[in-house]
Amino acid sequence: MDMLLTSLFSVIVQLFSIILLVLAQDENQFIYNGFHQANLQLDGSAKILSNGLLQLTNTSKQQTGHAFYRLPLKFNTSSSSTPSLSFSTNFIFAMVPVAPSFGGQGMAFTISPSTDFSQATSSPYIGLFNSSNLGLSSNHVLAIELDPVKNPQFNDRDENHVGIDVNSLESVNSAPASYIDQEGKNTSLKLLSGNAMHIWIDYDEAEKLLNVSLALTKNSKPKKPLLSTRIDLSPVLLDFMYVGFSASTGTLASDQYILGWSFSKIGQAENLEISKLPRLPSQKKSEEIPVQLLIVLLSAVTVVLITIISVAYIIRRKKYEEIHEDWEIEYGPHRFSYKNLYKATKGFKDKELLGTGGFGKVYRGKLPAADSQIAVKRVSHDSRQGLKEFVAEIVSMGRLGHRNLVQLLGYCRRKGELLLVYDYMHNGSLDKFLYSNEKPNLHWSQRYQILRGVASALLYLHEEWEQVVLHRDIKASNVLLDADLNGRLGDFGLARLYDHGTNPQTTHVVGTVGYLAPELSRTGKATTSTDVFAYGAFILEVACGRRPIQHQAPDEETILVDWVFDCWKRGEILNASDPRLEGDYAVEEMELVLKLGMLCSQSKPESRPSMRQVMQYLDCDAVLPEISSDSANINMFLTGEEASRLIMSFPSSFEQGSTHSFSSSDSILIAGR
Ligand SMILES: *[C@@H]1O[C@H](CO)[C@@H](O)[C@H](O)[C@H]1NC(C)=O
Ligand SMILES: *[C@@H]1O[C@H](CO)[C@@H](O)[C@H](O)[C@H]1NC(C)=O
Ligand SMILES: *[C@@H]1O[C@H](CO)[C@@H](O)[C@H](O)[C@H]1NC(C)=O
Ligand SMILES: *[C@@H]1O[C@H](CO)[C@@H](O)[C@H](O)[C@H]1NC(C)=O
Ligand SMILES: *[C@@H]1O[C@H](CO)[C@@H](O)[C@H](O)[C@H]1NC(C)=O
């Protein structure tokens, strides 16, 4: 029974092999552009991936994998008319190492009498042999090895070679992986590059010549083979042989792939269709895609960032936008950046607002670098006209230095406004001390000191500096008090900005009603005498604690200078003194100041003293001349009504403070002739 079964089984096996052989007769060529439905026999680690890619090994260690054409092919038979030992094959492979240049163990195109490699071992034996059968002629194995590892026991030439092996792993012939390109240049290839490579193996029985060529997939078959070895395969190849691939990994491993394979026993193997080949999967891409993805992501992030930054920059630019013109270059050192001023004043917060004057708002600020406090005056100025001259003056005034002048530090220009940066005056403006109850009353000695200080500043402006500077708007609210309550004249020259005017045909009279000299209505021309006139009004203001024009007062007291004059004529000039002083003053000084005030307020400019004389009187270095009792000589200053008649235009940007009602403390702008 057993015998019968055994013989039956052997008959079946024989029948089967006969069928295979019969089939093999017709199997002289095949082509696989990807291995879907390929007639292959796989073992070990070999598998066909879902995309048709033939994977011989993955990166696990000590594996072997085989993929052989399932049918044996007829080789060493004399019966055939075709040269049976001849064959032609080409395939595309890739070795993707775990780390660049760190992979193994290699693969080989193999012609073998058997597909049973169960006894063969991995690593250096490439799944073809074992230590005991290596080199035996009974192996009948031809292998074209692609060897990325240098094995000294096989006399390997290097760690990147192609070799022709017969029954052994010691190559009959080998060459470093390379090809001759179109220009005839020897270009080396790296088996472990992870790139797909094309290899052509051709044997011509008649010439007994085995050629092996290697190239990148994009290149065509090189004209000159990498290896061209004269070899007689008749003792090697049996009648029926299997063709396929063997691969292994050792301690070094790679993903080893075959992308496509063409084989022929009758003439040249067909060319593979590169476009149809499956793509190499993740591993290689996994190294490349993240890099590409990273680049894409980085670019995207960069683009987004650049956009955000540019938008922010544009917004910031807008926010901190300034106007710079060529002519300002020379004033560079005097220029402040708007950004710095913006930050110094905490964004021009109302909390930092020091006051609102005729020419604009003043803010307190702190410059981080200098740790110094500043006052920033924002002056609206729509017109470009006159600005250049004004800035020139402002800058030159920045060079003015006097202990009784508020130091101008610099400027900044934006659309529609000019920002002037001054030293910060801790105690604010003098008028607050005179008229508001928030501030303590100033003693006479302090007041006298202030009047003297302002006089010395005016003297400096009029006579002591390199050019005559007119202030044009002397009044208590333009006198600021520093930490030591020294009077300092501020806003000097600012009035000049308006004087340059928007309309070159008109000269603008600038100042404050009550301080405007009468001749201004005729000439419209500011002089040192008009400044002296204003100074006169100012010292009366300080001595009497009243504004030059006081509408609430009884009629005879409305015009301060008239009233002082009346008091003087009555012989009771001290009655004009500020009641808040409660008589606590040096009588001679009070008399001096009141008389000096009247002297400066004379309608004829030539009758008024110069600032130098004013200083001499205040210092008692000269005796005050007698005042003419002709009342027509006094009370001739430009009144509000007269000023109103002169008004022709008010540039809208100046409207702040220069109101129709002329509250007597506000600076106004009057277009003269
Ligand atoms: C390699 O393939 C084997 C069998 O398919 C599997 O067990 C192993 O995890 C794979 N190794 C890697 C590194 O993918
Ligand atoms: C090597 O392989 C042959 C078959 O090819 C087998 O007979 C032999 O036992 C193997 N030797 C070792 C050491 O595995
Ligand atoms: C390229 O040059 C190397 C020697 O540098 C040589 O071994 C190899 O065979 C050459 N390749 C080709 C394709 O001729
Ligand atoms: C092998 O290469 C040589 C030299 O280029 C060439 O003459 C010969 O025809 C080639 N043989 C085959 C079968 O490709
Ligand atoms: C191949 O065929 C030739 C001629 O028929 C014969 O001499 C040779 O031994 C054969 N080779 C093998 C390996 O069988």
Side-chain angles (χ1 to χ4, degrees):
M1 191 63 184
D2 265 12
M3 282 279 284
L4 192 69
L5 266 177
T6 311
S7 60
L8 192 66
F9 183 72
S10 75
V11 166
I12 290 168
V13 167
Q14 277 181 24
L15 261 176
F16 190 70
S17 36
I18 287 163
I19 292 165
L20 280 183
L21 290 177
V22 167
L23 281 171
Q25 302 282 326
D26 304 324
E27 295 295 335
N28 284 319
Q29 59 183 350
F30 55 84
I31 181 164
Y32 296 127
N33 293 299
F35 295 91
H36 280 305
Q37 285 116 36
N39 190 21
L40 296 183
Q41 183 186 325
L42 306 177
D43 71 36
S45 57
K47 58 187 166 211
I48 291 165
L49 304 183
S50 58
N51 68 342
L53 190 65
L54 171 57
Q55 183 179 38
L56 294 172
T57 69
N58 62 17
T59 52
S60 288
K61 291 172 182 176
Q62 308 295 349
Q63 314 170 75
T64 58
H66 302 94
F68 277 80
Y69 188 63
R70 201 177 286 279
L71 304 174
L73 303 178
K74 198 152 58 110
F75 273 87
N76 195 14
T77 53
S78 46
S79 60
S80 164
S81 54
T82 53
S84 57
L85 289 175
S86 299
F87 68 91
S88 170
T89 188
N90 68 85
F91 60 93
I92 290 176
F93 70 96
M95 293 180 182
V96 186
V98 251
S101 304
F102 193 73
Q105 185 71 81
M107 65 164 84
F109 169 75
T110 306
I111 303 180
S112 162
S114 159
T115 55
D116 177 12
F117 295 96
S118 55
Q119 303 297 310
T121 57
S122 62
S123 54
Y125 301 97
I126 326 180
L128 290 175
F129 310 107
N130 61 29
S131 55
S132 60
N133 68 7
L134 187 76
L136 300 181
S137 59
S138 60
N139 288 335
H140 295 287
V141 170
L142 171 73
I144 313 301
E145 65 167 33
L146 302 165
D147 193 351
V149 178
K150 181 172 178 171
N151 289 301
Q153 76 261 43
F154 307 139
N155 293 319
D156 279 354
R157 61 180 308 136
D158 58 24
E159 65 294 302
N160 185 45
H161 61 272
V162 178
I164 297 169
D165 300 342
V166 175
N167 299 325
S168 171
L169 288 168
E170 196 164 335
S171 301
V172 173
N173 196 5
S174 70
S178 58
Y179 76 104
I180 304 294
D181 65 15
Q182 307 302 90
E183 284 98 52
K185 198 170 138 248
N186 182 331
T187 305
S188 73
L189 293 171
K190 194 145 180 49
L191 295 174
L192 286 178
S193 67
N195 292 326
M197 280 175 234
H198 205 160
I199 186 163
W200 292 263
I201 303 165
D202 298 286
Y203 182 68
D204 180 52
E205 184 179 17
E207 288 196 71
K208 295 189 170 35
L209 205 58
L210 180 64
N211 290 351
V212 180
S213 298
L214 190 66
L216 288 170
T217 37
K218 61 177 164 83
N219 300 120
S220 54
K221 183 180 178 179
K223 288 197 178 70
K224 184 178 177 286
L226 173 62
L227 293 168
S228 188
T229 303
R230 206 157 288 283
I231 183 171
D232 181 6
L233 290 181
S234 66
V236 181
L237 303 179
L238 302 175
D239 286 4
F240 289 95
M241 299 292 280
Y242 293 90
V243 293
F245 304 94
S246 179
S248 74
T249 62
T251 47
L252 296 171
S254 312
D255 281 311
Q256 300 182 93
Y257 301 105
I258 308 290
L259 291 78
W261 179 24
S262 175
F263 185 91
S264 176
K265 281 215 85 278
I266 41 166
Q268 282 272 303
E270 265 182 80
N271 283 325
L272 291 166
E273 287 182 67
I274 306 294
S275 62
K276 285 190 181 170
L277 300 179
R279 287 175 171 275
L280 287 172
S282 45
Q283 278 110 326
K284 183 184 161 66
K285 302 295 176 199
S286 75
E287 275 171 12
E288 240 173 40
I289 281 177
V291 170
Q292 289 167 347
L293 210 71
L294 218 68
I295 290 167
V296 168
L297 275 176
L298 272 178
S299 325
V301 165
T302 307
V303 165
V304 167
L305 272 179
I306 286 172
T307 310
I308 290 171
I309 288 168
S310 337
V311 167
Y313 180 72
I314 289 166
I315 290 169
R316 271 171 81 89
R317 254 189 85 117
K318 202 83 195 151
K319 184 173 172 184
Y320 299 132
E321 197 167 45
E322 297 175 20
I323 293 176
H324 284 268
E325 283 175 274
D326 286 349
W327 56 262
E328 290 180 85
I329 289 167
E330 57 177 306
Y331 310 131
H334 301 278
R335 195 157 169 148
F336 281 76
S337 86
Y338 183 70
K339 190 175 158 186
N340 284 348
L341 296 182
Y342 187 90
K343 287 188 172 162
T345 57
K346 298 180 179 142
F348 295 99
K349 277 237 172 63
D350 280 349
K351 226 186 104 212
E352 305 301 316
L353 187 65
L354 291 172
T356 305
F359 297 121
K361 293 184 172 178
V362 186
Y363 295 85
R364 186 198 2 243
K366 192 165 184 180
L367 291 176
D371 195 37
S372 61
Q373 284 195 295
I374 52 167
V376 183
K377 186 157 200 154
R378 298 185 82 158
V379 184
S380 311
H381 193 275
D382 274 345
S383 159
R384 269 201 58 221
Q385 211 167 7
L387 204 63
K388 184 173 172 176
E389 293 84 345
F390 177 71
V391 169
E393 281 184 21
I394 277 293
V395 169
S396 79
M397 283 173 194
R399 293 191 289 116
L400 288 169
H402 189 275
R403 58 188 294 269
N404 295 106
L405 288 176
V406 178
Q407 186 65 42
L408 177 74
L409 302 172
Y411 78 103
C412 174
R413 220 150 67 76
R414 299 188 86 207
K415 193 166 185 287
E417 72 179 340
L418 183 70
L419 294 103
L420 299 172
V421 183
Y422 294 99
D423 259 347
Y424 173 71
M425 294 290 115
H426 283 80
N427 281 306
S429 61
L430 174 60
D431 64 331
K432 297 268 165 41
F433 285 84
L434 296 177
Y435 309 119
S436 109
N437 293 324
E438 299 160 27
K439 299 273 184 174
N441 190 21
L442 291 171
H443 329 132
W444 175 249
S445 61
Q446 290 169 325
R447 296 194 196 193
Y448 195 80
Q449 200 51 41
I450 291 163
L451 299 182
R452 226 195 132 269
V454 173
S456 84
L458 276 171
L459 174 59
Y460 173 77
L461 293 177
H462 286 181
E463 296 184 27
E464 290 174 352
W465 199 53
E466 57 200 52
Q467 68 194 64
V468 177
V469 178
L470 301 178
H471 188 283
R472 295 158 178 255
D473 204 10
I474 301 150
K475 57 180 175 179
S477 60
N478 272 344
V479 171
L480 297 147
L481 302 182
D482 64 17
D484 303 325
L485 292 174
N486 288 311
R488 290 185 176 225
L489 197 49
D491 269 2
F492 48 91
L494 189 56
R496 195 85 176 104
L497 174 62
Y498 303 95
D499 187 45
H500 289 294
T502 49
N503 180 352
Q505 257 71 60
T506 57
T507 321
H508 291 98
V509 173
V510 185
T512 302
V513 172
Y515 305 84
L516 292 170
E519 72 270 20
L520 280 168
S521 72
R522 301 191 309 273
T523 63
K525 196 168 177 289
T527 61
T528 53
S529 291
T530 58
D531 266 0
V532 170
F533 185 94
Y535 179 75
F538 162 69
I539 63 174
L540 291 179
E541 185 180 11
V542 175
C544 308
R546 289 164 174 243
R547 296 188 193 277
I549 305 168
Q550 213 169 9
H551 295 285
Q552 295 88 343
D555 273 358
E556 70 274 15
E557 294 179 22
T558 308
I559 312 289
L560 178 60
V561 66
D562 279 1
W563 181 60
V564 174
F565 190 66
D566 288 346
C567 291
W568 172 68
K569 277 202 296 191
R570 286 201 302 272
E572 41 192 41
I573 190 168
L574 293 177
N575 282 0
S577 66
D578 186 352
R580 285 173 74 191
L581 289 169
E582 293 168 335
D584 187 9
Y585 48 77
V587 173
E588 323 78 65
E589 283 178 358
M590 180 60 84
E591 267 193 37
L592 175 69
V593 169
L594 293 171
K595 286 181 179 173
L596 182 58
M598 288 191 290
L599 200 64
C600 294
S601 301
Q602 294 178 98
S603 55
K604 290 203 183 86
E606 57 277 14
S607 311
R608 294 170 211 150
S610 68
M611 283 317 296
R612 186 168 296 283
Q613 289 171 310
V614 168
M615 273 311 287
Q616 287 167 350
Y617 302 141
L618 287 174
D619 289 345
C620 300
D621 289 342
V623 180
L624 202 67
E626 277 308 304
I627 300 166
S628 152
S629 56
D630 178 5
S631 70
N633 207 22
I634 311 289
N635 186 23
M636 284 289 281
F637 65 83
L638 198 57
T639 62
E641 295 83 78
E642 286 171 308
S644 299
R645 268 179 265 129
L646 289 165
I647 292 167
M648 282 158 70
S649 67
F650 273 88
S652 59
S653 54
F654 304 154
E655 63 198 12
Q656 190 167 42
S658 45
T659 56
H660 329 291
S661 64
F662 296 128
S663 92
S664 52
S665 62
D666 289 336
S667 303
I668 60 157
L669 168 77
I670 301 159
R673 290 163 293 193

